[in-house]
Structures are given as structure tokens and as C-alpha cells.
Amino acid sequence: LSYQKEGLDIARDVMRLNCHAAVLKYPIRVPNTQEKAVVAAHQALTLLERHAQFLKINPSQIGMMGFSAGAHLTAKMLAHPNHPLAFAILIYPAYLSDDGKTLKPDVYPAPPYVPTFVMQCRDDRSYLNASLGYVTHLATINAPVSYHLYPNGGHGFGNRITDNSLEVATWFERLQQWFFTQILAPTSQS
């Protein structure tokens, strides 16, 4: 639904970090939408791994970032045993938990547990429990997680925050800092 602001625009921002980016466009509003999205994500990751040399990417450093339902899809990918992800970024995730305590069965993370960045706004009432439940579970299993809960900002803004006085306007800077310290720095040392 937000292919531009939560897809192409963010990919451009990520590429400014000197990283490669690919945008997955998957079917919505069709029968079995979630299952088709998972199949599309698996296919995309397989293509990236298979063509890593041609694309000049490191197949062991592929991560996934999603917004709202896309963050749910990212969590579903992390639930697959032996997933290929090196890191995950969930921005105002949806559908992970109803009560903020118990995860939905399809998003329980499977090893290997990877560094995960989660961002949410407290006034995102429809989905606040999704991130709370997910982050609580990650902390319980001692998985590496960085959680950023902002007081206000709502849902669905991508990187288009027009009011720079809102604390959430710094979310991409926090992501960039996390990315450089948690993802790039450890790989450059190995």
C-alpha cells in the first residue's frame, strides 16, 4: 500500500548509507495474502543469495526491513528455522501480538537470533502491543534487540515526518547509528 514512502523512498535513504537495497513488492488484497507475501519474500531472498556475486553483495550480510504489515512479514521470515537474515528492522510493526505479552504463533523467532531494530510510537494505539510483545519476547530469549519507543508520531509515516520538533523525526538517525555500530562495525572486524 505504501510502495513509495515505505519502499522506494526508504531504499534511497538506505543506499545513502553506502548499502545496497532491494524493494519487495508483494500481492495484497488477494486470497491468502500473508502466505503469498511469505512466498514472495523467500523468493526474493533466494534470488539475492543466488546472484550475490553478480549484484556485488555479501550473501551473509542480507537483512530485511519492513513497515507495519511489512514488519510483520519480516518477523515471519525470522520465524523460519535457518532463515538467511543477518539482521532485521521492524518499523511500527503490526499483527505480532494482541495483548503486548503473547506473540502470535507465526512470528516466534527461530535461531539464529539476529540483531533486530524495532521502532514504534506510543500513540500508535492499534499496533503498540505488537512491538511490546515482540520486544519482550526477544528480551526473554536474550536475542539482540534495540527498541525505540517514541511518545508520538502515529503510524504509517515512513521517513516523511514534517514536524521536526517531534522526537520521532530522529528515528532514521537512530537506525543509522544502530546499523553502523551493530551491523557494519562487527563485520568489519571479522
Side-chain angles (χ1 to χ4, degrees), residues 4-158:
Q4 187 67 43
K5 73 175 174 180
E6 294 175 354
L8 298 176
D9 290 351
I10 295 295
R12 286 185 195 99
D13 292 339
V14 168
M15 290 188 318
R16 286 188 200 104
L17 302 179
N18 222 13
C19 299
H20 296 274
V23 178
L24 173 64
K25 189 173 186 179
Y26 57 88
I28 58 172
R29 295 186 178 146
V30 295
N32 304 315
T33 296
Q34 288 189 17
E35 292 82 6
K36 289 179 181 176
V38 169
V39 169
H42 276 294
Q43 289 172 337
L45 289 169
T46 300
L47 281 172
L48 290 173
E49 288 178 302
R50 192 173 291 151
H51 300 289
Q53 186 174 1
F54 174 77
L55 296 169
K56 297 182 171 109
I57 61 173
N58 182 342
S60 68
Q61 287 300 309
I62 296 173
M64 188 168 173
M65 177 181 200
F67 294 73
S68 191
H72 177 244
L73 178 58
T74 302
K76 286 181 83 145
M77 298 308 294
L78 290 172
H80 284 273
N82 303 314
H83 63 77
L85 299 176
F87 62 92
I89 301 166
L90 286 72
I91 307 300
Y92 42 78
Y95 320 123
L96 304 178
S97 173
D98 290 327
D99 61 6
K101 298 174 187 166
T102 308
L103 291 184
K104 292 191 176 177
D106 61 340
V107 295
Y108 276 93
Y113 304 124
V114 299
T116 303
F117 181 98
V118 181
M119 188 274 284
Q120 188 82 55
C121 294
R122 206 169 47 231
D123 65 350
D124 184 2
R125 301 270 182 241
S126 296
Y127 301 116
L128 177 58
N129 282 336
S131 68
L132 290 172
Y134 198 71
V135 169
T136 299
H137 181 75
L138 290 177
T140 301
I141 61 173
N142 205 27
V145 62
S146 179
Y147 186 44
H148 301 267
L149 180 62
Y150 293 97
N152 48 25
H155 189 85
F157 46 80

